[in-house]
Amino acid sequence: AKKKKKKSLSLGEIRSRLWESQMTYFCASFKVLQDELNRKILDSLLDFTRKCSSARQHSDWASQMRANEIPTAALVLGVNVPDHDITFQSLSELLHQSVTPHVASVEAKECGALKHLMKRVLERLMDTVVDDDEEETEHTSTQLHKRVNCSLSALCDWYITKTKVGGQSTTEHERQQQPPVVIIFKDLEAFNPRVLQDFILICSRYIERLPLMFIFGIATSPSTIQRMLPHSVSSLLCIELFQSLSCTQHLATVIDQLILTPQFPFKLNAKVMQVLLSIFLYHDFSVRNFIKGLQLALLEHFHSQPLSVLCCKKKEAVLNVMQLSHRDLERIRQLPSFKRYVEKQESQEQVNLMTDDCHLKETCRKMIKGLHKYHKNYYPILKCLHTLTSALPRYPLGKQIRELHLTCLEKNVWENEDYQSAMKLLKMLAKDELIALLQRCGEILKPVKSKKMKSTAFHIPIILCDFLSFVLFLTAVVSEMAPSVEDSITSPIKNLQKKTDLFQLQKTLLEMNETRRSKKLSPFEILRNEALEFIDSLVKSHLSPPESQTLHEVCYYSSSATVRRHLNATPRTSIQAALSSPYYYLQNENLKTEDGTVSNAAPDICIAYKLHLECGRLINLYDWLEAYATVVSAADGNDPDSDGYGKVDEVKHARFIRSVSELEFLGFIKSTKQKTDHVARLTWGGC
């Protein structure tokens, strides 16, 4: 018994270590990918800041005119506001490393007035405490020494002190080489326009003494600047526009490199993937929140699935199979995919799988290897099919690869009508287009290490060689063939009389149709059909849904309801559940009830909420108060036969008023003028 306990503990530790390693790998991979995607826009911003900083060296008239303007970078980041923090954090770090140590970032929520904006900028640039005029606190002499006035003149003095060389003022050339002072406005649309205008006007007065530079973070459109700033203010800025990668392109890259890869053993089934994509497309467009949803699914999978100990690299998973206890093997026997596998076996094999643990372990090793082989072959073929179909008219299998991936996760894609129409459209492609697509498919399949896929990658260049040789031949003889082909095609039409009846026309068209059907295929058409049939065979061999694979449950997370409940919460339903059943939140035994009612010992707001559910559209406050007082008196343990039972005293009255105010704040009731001393009920259908 002790040995078994030790094994179960070791498997639990393995699960914990696997989750930690996969989470670390995933976060590191996402950070690297994020840096790569933001590199272009960040490098452009760095070049802009360096260019503006060096512009002070030139003495020509154009540079002198620009020196009187504040260089401003308008950075359009898109409506995916939760992702902006990562971009600004990377930008601040790069500016600190390569351009200037003087960088300050401000947000609208902390800059409601001009003095607040000025104070935040000075504090973050000077790293000190800035005096506020309204503060009337007493300070010691040390504190007064550290504090500075809230003005740009104090910032200028501090900057001159910081940029002195050897205690003496710098030369003119050295002054022009001084690092700029960069102020980043993270959410420009949320700033008070008047505050922003006044701050820019003040900064423009100090531009000769202070090399200021602004970066505006814009979520919507560059026209926001014209809408917020009048011409008299915007003319003080030298604005250059920068456009970041769109959030949909960002998500497509994340899915392609982090999800559609066999390197990451953890997978999502179709429903969970659909939930995460729906939240992204219909709520926030945030790639960061999409990644958080994926991390939540990873955590839930390793927490709720004991067999997730097999969700790892192939070698490690094969070793972990041999450490499974009898209890874990019983869990495998209960998996739906394993039950389907057992039903297809012979009777003796079924007995061995259900009774012999050693035989089951050996079978599971083969199944795990087959699952990893399935993933290794699935993703290259998926990308090949997307390459072939994404350029077709009306995108029959979807414009994005995530749409095709969802279709393949749900059912056999080759049974879909859209797949059939896509194959028909591929047969209509010109030879140049088809050759280019097959070449791209060959490039996708080249890195694959699977033996079967190697033969596939070898087969595609053979098809390409046949295509290319035939195209050269076709090009050489096409000029000679063209007239005869045209004659053969149009000959039935020429045989028609100038004036013909309907019967003759119908007969001629039927003859043309029969001729077209019986026409011998050209060498190009034979090769094209062979290539598409080969692609079709690859799809049918490798793009079956994961549910068709035995033991897919160890890698695929399927609880879409859990993900939706955590990420797409319904606040009103949660509040109603808490007010109706406070025991599940407070875990107090006195609040536990069996018939769904609320205990008289429940919090005041729960009692008031339960009583308000018994009322109609309009609630009489006096009747509500009396009912509340009766319930509270029972909770206090008063004798029901006493004279004071159910009476309203000052304390009960105050508690009732507070409960009603809280319900009004939560949106369950509101005051009304239809009746005196009544409130209107706003919600219906409680928990």
Side-chain angles (χ1 to χ4, degrees), residues 19-36:
W19 168 78
E20 188 176 356
S21 63
Q22 292 194 33
M23 184 69 78
T24 304
Y25 168 79
F26 186 77
C27 293
S29 302
F30 175 65
K31 190 176 186 309
V32 171
L33 181 61
Q34 188 85 16
D35 293 340
E36 290 177 358

Side-chain angles (χ1 to χ4, degrees), residues 53-59 64 67 165 168-178 208-209:
S53 180
S54 62
R56 289 172 167 255
Q57 301 178 30
H58 304 288
S59 57
Q64 292 285 340
V165 180
Q168 298 178 355
S169 60
T170 58
T171 63
E172 181 68 19
H173 179 70
E174 289 171 340
R175 185 183 67 80
Q176 292 169 349
Q177 291 285 350
Q178 291 170 359
E208 294 183 359
R209 299 172 55 192

Side-chain angles (χ1 to χ4, degrees), residues 52 107-108 112 133 143 178 186 248 280 330 342 416 432 541 549 608 611 614 630 645 660:
C52 295
E107 294 179 290
D133 295 339
Q143 290 173 327
Q178 291 170 359
K186 290 185 176 181
T248 51
F280 173 85
E330 285 298 323
V342 172
N416 195 343
D432 296 336
S541 301
Q549 304 298 312
L611 292 171
E614 301 172 1
T630 303
Y645 185 82
V660 171

Side-chain angles (χ1 to χ4, degrees), residues 91 246 680:
L91 176 61
S246 70

Side-chain angles (χ1 to χ4, degrees), residues 189-228:
E189 289 93 342
F191 274 87
N192 186 334
R194 190 63 196 170
V195 171
L196 198 62
Q197 294 170 22
D198 292 342
F199 183 75
I200 294 172
L201 288 171
I202 294 172
C203 290
S204 65
R205 304 291 180 91
Y206 292 87
I207 190 63
E208 294 183 359
R209 299 172 55 192
L210 200 62
L212 288 168
M213 188 176 299
F214 294 158
I215 297 178
F216 290 161
I218 301 173
T220 54
S221 168
S223 61
T224 303
I225 299 176
Q226 279 73 30
R227 191 179 69 251
M228 295 182 66

